Amino acid sequence: NVKLDNKLKNRQFKKESTDKKHRKEQKKLRAAIKDAVLKTPLPLERYKKRPEEEEFVESLPMDMMEEDDLEQIKAMAQKASFLTRDLSSSGPVHAKKRKGEQQGPESYEKMPRKMQLTEEKEVIHLLPIKDKIRGLIPQSMEKPEDEAMPGPALTPQEQLKLRTQKLTNRKLRIASLGSDILSDPTTNIKKLKELRAMLMETDPYVAVTVRKLVMVSLMEVFKDIVPSYRIRPLTETEKASKVKKETQQLREFEEGLVSQYKFYLENLEQTVKDWKQKKRKRSEAVSLQSYRGLAEVAIRCICELLVALPHFNFHNNIIVTVVPLMNDPVKRVSDMCCEAVKKLLKQDKQGHAALGTVKVISGLVKSRNYDVRPEVLLCLRIKEVEVKKDTDDTAPKKKFMNYKDKKKNLSRMQRKWKKAEEKLEKELLEAEASESKDKKLKLHTETLNIVFLIYFRILKKAQKSILLPSVLEGLAKFAHLINLEFFDDLLNVLQHLIQSGDLTYRESLHCIQTAFNILSGQGDVLNIDPLNFYSHLYKTLLKLNAGASNDDISIVLRCLDVMLTKRRKQVTLQRALAFVKRLSTLSLHTLPNATVGILASNRTLMHTFPKCDILLDNEAQGSGVFLPELDEPEYCNPQNTALWELHTLKRHYHPVVRRFATHLCAGAPSEGSGALIPWNPTFWNSVLSVATEARHVLHASVLGGPVLPICIIM
């Protein structure tokens, strides 16, 4: 073992030393290449200019020369010619040529002084010719030019006629290819590529229209021929194995379909990117003004595929493309994407699409620093969540006996029957799809966790963001699904938001609704008295009036229902009397549609708290005086007042309001002459005339008929 260890260490050491040497060599090589690149090349020789005659003469040592020699040197300098002298020869400079000697021009003298600039033409290589003497002779020809001779300019009528003709031809071609593909997708899958190639139409007359038509046509084709399952790539073993002809054809179809679908989605995404970046293509077939129209059609196709093919390949890629467009500044684009996401979440049964969408939305909100459109958070829809285990989940699951227990406790015949029984039970469990149900609950639970992570992050870090109303509305919708551990902190945050005074009236109503939805769900086990929320709603009720919009009435009525009716055991009589009195006062200030809803809510409270009928009597109950300006419902002495507002409402101009006021003055009876008559067509036709644009529905039980819907206009 020691020898083996030493051998192993030696090998490792040799390998490390070899690698180290290799790294050094590579480092030196890179340094040499870098130095060679950085150094500027220097000329091989440096030539000085030929000195002038005066400089040449002055440079001579004239003090040591005689005058005859100096004159001879000057004459030689004037006659010297370095242009005609052959430097390679050793003869005299001006030697005469011998007779009979013919000196031909040198090669450099034959070259032209200027190069002729000739355009290189493209050449098409043809098939060679075979000769017995020369062998193969290559053949080629110049590529013919496509530029046609400029003809006469067309009139607008001729241009329109030419465009119509071209467009008709393209439409027929698109229809023909689409019909062939739909008739037999497996055989004609290659025509899908031909149809997709028309997305690159270059004719400027019909380029924009043809591209739009091809986008929509391909979308419809894919929606029809895509199978109802996800296509996975084949493994190497599956590719190498031999299969039947039909199976091989099916594989080729699936592979071609996934490939063309991918290229189609890439084309759509690239069209949207070009519109965003205003990126001009090399071909001038499509102008910059047409980019928006092409992009809107591409986005529409992507949204349709998002909703129609949630099970197919590249669906997550489509989600990543669509979700950022929900925050697009162009309202038409953002509304289109928001509507598509809403449809996707509405029809999503398992929860895979919802989980992927919520993850992308979470990343988008965080990356944009919470500066996104509120509609991005208002499109979530979650119904089933694993908040707490049901009794079926907590019950011990039935275990099947193993072989030893069967052999020990059962006879041979009993073991046979037990085996058949267990097999049948397993099949029944598979039929019930209990596994898929558990998987769906886990997906929804994970989705809701991410949603609450977004909400809590905004409540903590961006309380002044434009997303706060959407967050409060979402919390009011999903408050009953929040984990019990977060209730205390969340209620403190909501109370702090209300007391800060930075919220609008609707946002404060959403805070109140969220708080009571929490307390009416799992929070009913908590011993908390939300007196501050009651006081705030009681104080702010009178902000509603006929001069403002009635959009907040529906939220007020929902808050009253969850605060008073559903929590009747935790509400004191003083609090109920104060709210009935305040609502009666409010009914004088609102429009008829809101007044009907408020009176219906008063009727429900009078049935829930029967002792509220003391407000119909003008005698005082106990000591004290009613204090209408006090904002605390517990201490304003509401038992010492009466509902004088009902007598005013009995003279209201609207017949429905008069009928409700008369009904409440009679004590809101369920039978007798003062009861509401649901089967009276005249009365309820007048009610429906009030609710022509109903958005909220209240239910009032009436004796002698079914549950009565009271519709409120918002």
Side-chain angles (χ1 to χ4, degrees), residues 328-347:
D328 195 84
V330 181
K331 191 175 185 303
R332 183 176 178 182
V333 173
S334 61
D335 292 345
M336 193 187 308
C337 295
C338 290
E339 190 65 28
V341 172
K342 286 180 182 179
K343 289 182 181 179
L344 175 66
L345 298 178
K346 187 176 182 180
Q347 70 181 15

Side-chain angles (χ1 to χ4, degrees), residues 432-454:
E432 292 176 358
S434 58
E435 183 179 356
S436 62
K437 184 178 180 182
D438 295 340
K439 187 177 181 180
K440 180 173 67 173
L441 289 176
K442 289 180 181 179
L443 288 173
H444 283 207
T445 304
E446 186 178 356
T447 303
L448 192 64
N449 289 338
I450 299 175
V451 172
F452 285 139
L453 176 64
I454 300 172

Side-chain angles (χ1 to χ4, degrees), residues 654-706:
H654 203 281
V656 179
V657 178
R658 292 199 301 267
R659 183 63 182 269
F660 254 105
T662 304
H663 173 68
L664 292 178
C665 283
S670 300
E671 58 182 358
S673 58
L676 294 176
I677 306 175
W679 54 84
N680 187 349
T682 305
F683 174 68
W684 294 117
N685 285 336
S686 61
V687 172
L688 293 177
S689 66
V690 182
T692 53
E693 298 178 358
R695 290 187 185 177
H696 183 66
V697 177
L698 291 178
H699 294 86
S701 300
V702 182
L703 183 65

